[in-house]
Amino acid sequence: MSDELKKLFEQVHDGITTFDFDGKVTPCIIIEEEKYDEMLSKISGQAISVNTDLNILQDGLGNVFVEIVLTFSKGNIQKKFLVNAKTDFSFFESLAKISMLALSSPRSNYGKENVFVIQLPRPEKAQNALDLIKKGLTPQNKK
């Protein structure tokens, strides 16, 4: 394994999950309690938008990582999460299907309370990312 690949594995965010929200499998990123509370305090009570970028990193050998970048329109907040698409494939399937992403703290009751849900402004970005992930997870024959 290359040093660069090892570095990516070390940077993967371990708080990636899904939960049932009104009968829909919803992708969720769990953020440390303190950082989650700080984020909410900056945006609470405001109308905001969240730009969601999905940057695909792949090596052609079946390893695919996705850097999720969330840029909030208020509060000067930008969050980055690196996700291993191989181990968290269902996260991206549900993201493409429902075009919603939840942020939560470890102490939240997923799907019931203290969950911040983002509606993706451009749902096609999630579907395009899923297509790239599927293709990237299949090792390519190198000549």
Side-chain angles (χ1 to χ4, degrees):
M1 181 183 305
S2 72
D3 288 342
E4 188 174 322
L5 189 56
K6 283 180 188 175
K7 188 176 178 182
L8 286 173
F9 275 111
E10 290 170 0
Q11 294 175 4
V12 168
H13 186 75
D14 61 356
I16 302 299
T17 190
T18 59
F19 66 90
D20 184 300
F21 184 68
D22 289 337
K24 296 177 184 172
V25 178
T26 303
C28 182
I29 300 174
I30 300 169
I31 304 171
E32 294 172 26
E33 186 90 26
E34 187 178 301
K35 290 180 180 179
Y36 182 76
D37 291 343
E38 179 184 337
M39 177 191 74
L40 286 183
S41 72
K42 289 182 178 180
I43 59 174
S44 183
Q46 299 182 60
I48 63 164
S49 62
V50 182
N51 185 50
T52 307
D53 289 315
L54 304 170
N55 302 317
I56 312 294
L57 310 166
Q58 57 184 320
D59 65 358
L61 302 174
N63 294 299
V64 180
F65 297 88
V66 180
E67 180 187 50
I68 300 172
V69 182
L70 305 175
T71 306
F72 291 71
S73 62
K74 302 219 171 124
N76 196 28
I77 302 169
Q78 184 179 68
K79 300 285 185 189
K80 292 182 181 182
F81 307 95
L82 188 65
V83 182
N84 182 339
K86 188 180 287 187
T87 57
D88 291 305
F89 186 74
S90 61
F91 175 91
F92 294 103
E93 284 183 313
S94 61
L95 184 66
K97 185 174 184 177
I98 68 167
S99 301
M100 289 182 1
L101 171 65
L103 301 177
S104 184
S105 78
R107 296 182 192 217
S108 295
N109 189 357
Y110 311 133
K112 294 187 171 61
E113 61 186 43
N114 203 22
V115 177
F116 183 82
V117 179
I118 299 167
Q119 179 71 48
L120 298 183
R122 295 183 47 212
E124 67 276 6
K125 287 169 78 172
Q127 185 58 55
N128 292 343
L130 182 62
D131 293 343
L132 288 171
I133 290 166
K134 285 179 184 176
K135 186 176 179 181
L137 288 174
T138 306
Q140 304 299 313
N141 292 331
K142 302 272 182 182
K143 292 187 179 184

